[in-house]
Amino acid sequence: MPNAYNQAKIYANAALKLLKNNLVTARMVSSETIDKAIVSERGGSANGGTVYVKRPPEFIVRQGRVAQVQDALAGEVPVSINKQRGVDLEFTSLEATLSVDEFMKDESANSAMAQLAQTIDQDVNEVVLEFPGWVGTPGQLIDSGPDFFKMPERLDELAVPQNDRISLLSPADKWAFAGGLTNNAAQAQNLARTALESGRIPNIGNIDTFMTQNVPTLVTGTRGATAAVAGANQNVQFVTVRNDYKQTLAVSGLGANATVKRGEVFTIANVYAVNPRSKAPLPFLAQFTVLEDVTANGSGAATLTIANPIIVDGAYQTVSVVPANSAVITWMGAATTAFRQNTSFHKSAIKLVSARLIKPASGITAFSRDPETGLTIRYWQTSDGTNDTHLHRWDVIYGVVNTDRRLGVRGSGTA
């Protein structure tokens, strides 16, 4: 048994190293590990558990001598640990594996871990669709410095901390941007080699920028170019939304039975963003994102679930004024069109929360944990004595949450 366990530990450690080498986004976001074993998904429903990640409180500065006591209302964001992902192999070459080096060179093991990494990165990137901010012109490639800098500029306007910023570009945007940064062929070749080797674009504006094929694509719904707010006084207080940080908004004019897709972004006439520190209006309209797919009724009316919430006073103020009844809503991007969602965000905007799966009651098992991402991989080998087959499987379980949607922005180029 000791030899079997040692071999299992080799498979767990080496697989984790291969997995980590193929991760991009999962290594860029903040992480947390739950210090307990989690039961896997069964029957299609997760019974693993839900944990809560805190959102820091905000305050306003008083003027004058008299104290104005404020409550420290720190929100808690729920994270479901319900994404169990894994790969399974059944082949004889593993039976002869005696070292990490041999395992690392195995083509099947490499391919399996690369695919698992791709899936994890896709899960992390998917929450980018919850960022309300979107700068540039949808559909245009980021092909110059000024295009790219619109994202960090918007982060600066919204007082996002300047340290630990990350940018993710699609392959098309990355190469368009690389071409815009170079003035001669020699420089272009050098930049290309660096990007191909590591996926990294040179640090620009104190932002670590990477190319990933897992930049999500938003396909907009069938809604028209404009709609309208249906009803006055559709604002909320922070205390009522401090955990989920979202609200509903009644709208009209979408078109009969029109659809609005999760991740769509819109502005409301005369509703401006505010400086998060001074609360003074900024020179651009506040942006909101739709958090759930919705279909309008036959009259073109619907209730959207949106973020950020509409808060017009106090330490958590997000907009300059309450939207007026019939205020025009304008959508980013044309209807029924696919748009790649490049992004810049602060590392703490997204959190990857992982746990360790339980130890199976049978077979040979070993675990390996990565301290950087928190991911714990479980290796499990079982054998079928009747058919003389040996199943090797590797599993991870985790959850992903956008802990603070204010700390990120999506970006497109300009025409």
Side-chain angles (χ1 to χ4, degrees):
M1 283 302 294
N3 288 337
Y5 172 78
N6 290 338
Q7 191 177 51
K9 192 65 176 177
I10 287 174
Y11 298 154
N13 290 341
L16 181 65
K17 185 173 182 179
L18 287 173
L19 175 65
K20 184 175 179 179
N21 287 346
N22 284 284
L23 291 171
V24 178
T25 312
R27 298 176 65 175
M28 298 296 104
V29 301
S30 59
S31 61
E32 184 173 323
T33 303
I34 304 306
D35 189 24
K36 65 177 181 178
I38 297 291
V39 181
S40 65
E41 294 180 281
R42 294 175 182 167
S45 61
N47 55 6
T50 299
V51 298
Y52 292 85
V53 178
K54 288 189 178 296
R55 182 186 295 111
E58 294 184 14
F59 303 94
I60 55 175
V61 177
R62 64 170 165 81
Q63 297 184 18
R65 180 175 60 87
V66 180
Q68 297 176 356
V69 179
Q70 302 171 60
D71 294 327
L73 299 174
E76 289 188 325
V77 184
V79 188
S80 296
I81 312 299
N82 61 0
K83 297 183 184 297
Q84 183 177 357
R85 307 288 188 251
V87 290
D88 313 297
L89 302 177
E90 192 175 74
F91 64 135
T92 58
S93 62
L94 276 182
E95 299 304 314
T97 298
L98 300 176
S99 71
V100 172
D101 287 341
E102 290 172 347
F103 185 94
M104 296 288 286
K105 295 175 184 177
D106 189 282
E107 184 176 344
S108 295
N110 268 280
S111 178
M113 292 306 124
Q115 190 59 50
L116 180 56
Q118 183 95 345
T119 301
I120 296 171
D121 273 347
Q122 286 174 342
D123 287 334
V124 177
N125 274 281
E126 193 269 343
V127 298
V128 164
L129 294 175
E130 295 185 13
F131 289 141
W134 187 352
V135 294
T137 304
Q140 297 293 320
L141 291 175
I142 294 175
D143 58 6
S144 68
D147 282 356
F148 177 83
F149 290 132
K150 287 186 179 298
M151 290 190 290
E153 176 187 357
R154 181 56 57 90
L155 295 181
D156 286 345
E157 293 275 16
L158 297 176
V160 175
Q162 294 192 358
N163 64 313
D164 292 330
R165 288 184 180 181
I166 309 298
S167 285
L168 300 174
L169 301 180
S170 74
D173 288 275
K174 173 248 182 164
W175 286 112
F177 187 31
L181 289 176
T182 57
N183 295 318
N184 58 60
Q187 288 177 322
Q189 290 174 358
N190 182 61
L191 180 62
R193 282 197 298 272
T194 303
L196 286 172
E197 287 170 0
S198 64
R200 181 191 294 268
I201 297 173
N203 184 291
I204 301 170
N206 199 34
I207 301 175
D208 285 330
T209 304
F210 296 84
M211 179 277 292
T212 174
Q213 297 91 343
N214 293 313
V215 165
T217 297
L218 167 67
V219 180
T220 54
T222 60
R223 46 67 184 172
T226 60
V229 174
N233 301 319
Q234 294 195 67
N235 59 302
V236 297
Q237 295 295 315
F238 176 76
V239 67
T240 64
V241 297
R242 64 179 179 175
N243 290 334
D244 54 20
Y245 208 64
K246 63 185 181 182
Q247 71 165 89
T248 57
L249 181 72
V251 301
S252 60
L254 294 171
N257 305 310
T259 59
V260 180
K261 294 299 182 179
R262 177 178 181 269
E264 294 218 49
V265 173
F266 64 91
T267 58
I268 303 174
N270 300 316
V271 178
Y272 285 84
V274 297
N275 183 303
R277 300 292 179 257
S278 69
K279 311 305 178 185
L282 292 168
F284 52 85
L285 295 173
Q287 291 180 303
F288 307 90
T289 189
V290 178
L291 297 178
E292 301 172 8
D293 290 354
V294 68
T295 300
N297 62 23
S299 300
T303 299
L304 308 178
T305 301
I306 67 167
N308 291 325
I310 299 170
I311 303 172
V312 295
D313 55 22
Y316 299 91
Q317 182 178 348
T318 59
V319 298
S320 59
V321 295
V322 178
N325 181 36
S326 300
V328 173
I329 287 174
T330 303
W331 300 97
M332 286 286 286
T336 61
T337 305
F339 299 105
R340 298 299 295 272
Q341 303 293 283
N342 303 298
T343 184
S344 285
F345 59 91
H346 189 269
K347 180 178 181 178
S348 64
I350 299 172
K351 179 157 283 192
L352 173 65
V353 184
S354 56
R356 181 174 64 85
L357 286 160
I358 63 168
K359 183 177 180 179
S362 62
I364 302 169
T365 309
F367 296 87
S368 186
R369 178 179 175 272
D370 173 39
E372 180 184 0
T373 63
L375 288 169
T376 299
I377 197 164
R378 180 185 68 184
Y379 168 73
W380 181 12
Q381 178 186 335
T382 57
S383 299
D384 180 347
T386 301
N387 298 298
D388 192 20
T389 59
H390 308 278
L391 173 67
H392 306 263
R393 59 179 289 169
W394 293 264
D395 292 84
V396 293
I397 192 166
Y398 56 89
V400 184
V401 67
N402 196 318
T403 56
D404 195 337
R405 304 180 185 103
R406 301 169 299 174
L407 300 183
V409 63
R410 307 179 227 174
S412 302
T414 55

